[in-house]
Amino acid sequence: MKKLKKSIAIILSSIMILGITGCSGTKTEKTESDVKSSSKTNLHYPVTITTHNYKKEPVEITFDKEPENVVAVYQNSIETMLALGLGDKIKLAAGLDHDVKDEYKEAFSKVNYSEQFTPDKETVLMEQPDFILSWYSIFDDKRLGDVDYWHKNNINTYMALNSGAAEDRTVENEITDILNLGKIFNVEDKAEKIANEINTKIDEVSKSVKDQKEQTTLIIEYMDGKIYTYGAKSLGGDMVTRLGGKVLNPEGGNIGEEDLIKLNPDSIFVVYMNRGDEKAGQEEVNKILKNPALSSLKAVKNNRVNPIPLGDMYCSGIRTIDGINAFAKGLYPNLNK
């Protein structure tokens, strides 16, 4: 019976998406500001953007107008929308690994946030979105399905490049995502300002560390009892490389404690997601610091084991600056002393 109800809900939602256009019998006179705004919009659209499908193939999508009902899933999707002043366009948000940044909390308090960390297809259909902004992983068959389903139903999608759509995960990809959203929503000036801030910060920090001795590091995350390392082609790896650091185990993947001891990096960054738990970062760091088997590590002896939020170095969006600052501080602890 539950499966039948769910199927009926999906069918009804699909019909609503395809057939309902929303009408009103009330006419309103346009003010001068409305006319100017409309003129600006008409000059901007249509806008064509390149995104990807689940096969990681480029797909062009066209926006005839600014999206009004957006489903934004995961940290960078939500925070970038808020940073661009588009909180009122979010119909449904979900999937935060961390609390939104302080400067956006007031705007976020007005957003409809889902109890489902990753909304299912039925939930998204019920919201009647005109745009879905999320990660590569959400478009697999077990979640929302590939993008062609949504595009056929006049619902555009955009997946963050560093979420898996692009082969190499770079800071440039984060900037591209922000600029693309600026084009989609006709707020290019705001997007360019954020992009310029990121580039400026990278230049400043890079110049400040250029004469420092090369530092070796590992970016790790404990997953199912195993130690996963982020390689040189990860976003975190790109940030470290830009700062003159060297990512050990550059191919990435799982390693054991013996491998970690052999690599013996100058510093270690331990990835965490707090999801409301303020102690999460320190708890992950303690898996290194309080492990007797790892006491011989240089990073342990010199107290250079650093927590880093996932959102700062994986699909970082507006947190890219935070990631750069965190890596710089951890790689060069004496830089500003």
Side-chain angles (χ1 to χ4, degrees):
M1 181 61 73
K2 289 183 178 179
K3 289 184 177 179
L4 178 59
K5 288 182 178 179
K6 186 170 182 178
S7 298
I8 292 172
I10 291 176
I11 292 170
L12 289 174
S13 298
S14 297
I15 292 172
M16 292 169 70
I17 290 171
L18 292 168
I20 296 178
T21 57
C23 58
S24 173
T26 304
K27 292 185 178 180
T28 57
E29 292 185 5
K30 291 184 178 181
T31 65
E32 184 178 348
S33 61
D34 289 333
V35 172
K36 288 182 179 179
S37 177
S38 176
S39 176
K40 180 182 178 183
T41 298
N42 290 337
L43 289 173
H44 184 75
Y45 297 99
V47 169
T48 299
I49 298 293
T50 299
T51 185
H52 295 79
N53 60 23
Y54 200 68
K55 293 180 181 179
K56 303 185 181 182
E57 299 168 332
V59 176
E60 286 193 346
I61 52 174
T62 298
F63 295 81
D64 294 320
K65 62 183 183 65
E66 177 184 4
E68 295 289 338
N69 297 314
V70 181
V71 171
V73 184
Y74 302 139
Q75 195 83 32
N76 63 317
S77 304
I78 297 168
E79 289 185 326
T80 303
M81 289 287 291
L82 296 175
L84 292 173
L86 302 169
D88 61 327
K89 306 297 181 183
I90 302 176
K91 189 74 175 292
L92 181 71
L96 286 173
D97 288 315
H98 315 279
D99 290 342
V100 298
K101 290 173 69 66
D102 288 344
E103 55 264 45
Y104 308 122
K105 284 184 177 179
E106 182 178 351
F108 180 67
S109 67
K110 302 172 185 177
V111 171
N112 177 29
Y113 186 74
S114 173
E115 294 182 1
Q116 287 181 294
F117 189 80
T118 301
D120 56 28
K121 194 171 187 177
E122 177 189 10
T123 300
V124 172
L125 281 167
M126 291 297 288
E127 296 297 336
Q128 300 181 50
D130 54 10
F131 183 45
I132 301 172
L133 175 63
S134 190
W135 289 5
Y136 169 81
S137 60
I138 203 173
F139 295 103
D140 69 8
D141 291 338
K142 295 181 180 179
R143 295 177 181 175
L144 299 189
D146 209 344
V147 300
D148 59 344
Y149 168 83
W150 302 97
H151 297 172
K152 288 175 183 176
N153 286 282
N154 298 316
I155 301 169
N156 279 329
T157 64
Y158 188 86
M159 60 175 67
L161 289 169
N162 284 334
S163 67
E167 183 177 353
D168 293 342
R169 306 185 182 199
T170 64
V171 170
E172 283 80 5
N173 286 342
E174 296 300 325
I175 293 172
T176 296
D177 286 343
I178 293 168
L179 293 176
N180 278 339
L181 287 174
K183 294 174 184 176
I184 290 169
F185 287 92
N186 195 15
V187 288
E188 290 179 281
D189 52 342
K190 292 181 180 179
E192 288 171 1
K193 182 179 179 181
I194 295 172
N196 289 337
E197 288 174 353
I198 292 173
N199 282 322
T200 298
K201 175 55 66 174
I202 291 172
D203 289 341
E204 288 176 354
V205 177
S206 296
K207 288 177 182 177
S208 69
V209 303
K210 68 178 181 178
D211 295 325
Q212 299 292 313
K213 178 183 176 182
E214 182 182 66
Q215 297 289 301
T216 61
T217 193
L218 277 174
I219 307 169
I220 71 169
E221 182 175 359
Y222 280 91
M223 294 184 179
D224 301 322
K226 297 180 180 179
I227 302 173
Y228 176 81
T229 66
Y230 289 82
K233 291 187 176 182
S234 69
L235 176 58
D238 184 52
M239 290 179 175
V240 167
T241 301
R242 281 172 168 268
L243 294 172
K246 181 179 180 180
V247 179
L248 300 182
N249 200 44
E251 69 279 5
N254 291 330
I255 62 172
E257 288 185 352
E258 290 184 0
D259 300 311
L260 181 54
I261 293 169
K262 288 179 181 178
L263 290 168
N264 198 19
D266 294 317
S267 64
I268 299 173
F269 293 88
V270 188
V271 179
Y272 73 94
M273 296 163 280
N274 59 22
R275 296 180 184 175
D277 181 4
E278 295 181 357
K279 299 179 181 179
Q282 189 58 49
E283 288 174 353
E284 293 304 301
V285 165
N286 286 343
K287 291 179 181 179
I288 298 287
L289 292 179
K290 296 189 175 182
N291 185 343
L294 301 177
S295 60
S296 65
L297 289 172
K298 287 187 292 184
V300 172
K301 290 180 177 180
N302 297 323
N303 196 29
R304 294 183 61 188
V305 182
N306 313 281
I308 187 162
L310 178 72
D312 288 8
M313 47 72 63
Y314 185 96
C315 289
S316 53
I318 61 169
R319 290 173 175 255
T320 302
I321 290 176
D322 300 327
I324 290 291
N325 283 331
F327 281 120
K329 184 177 179 181
L331 287 168
Y332 310 103
N334 298 316
L335 186 64
N336 297 316
K337 289 183 179 180

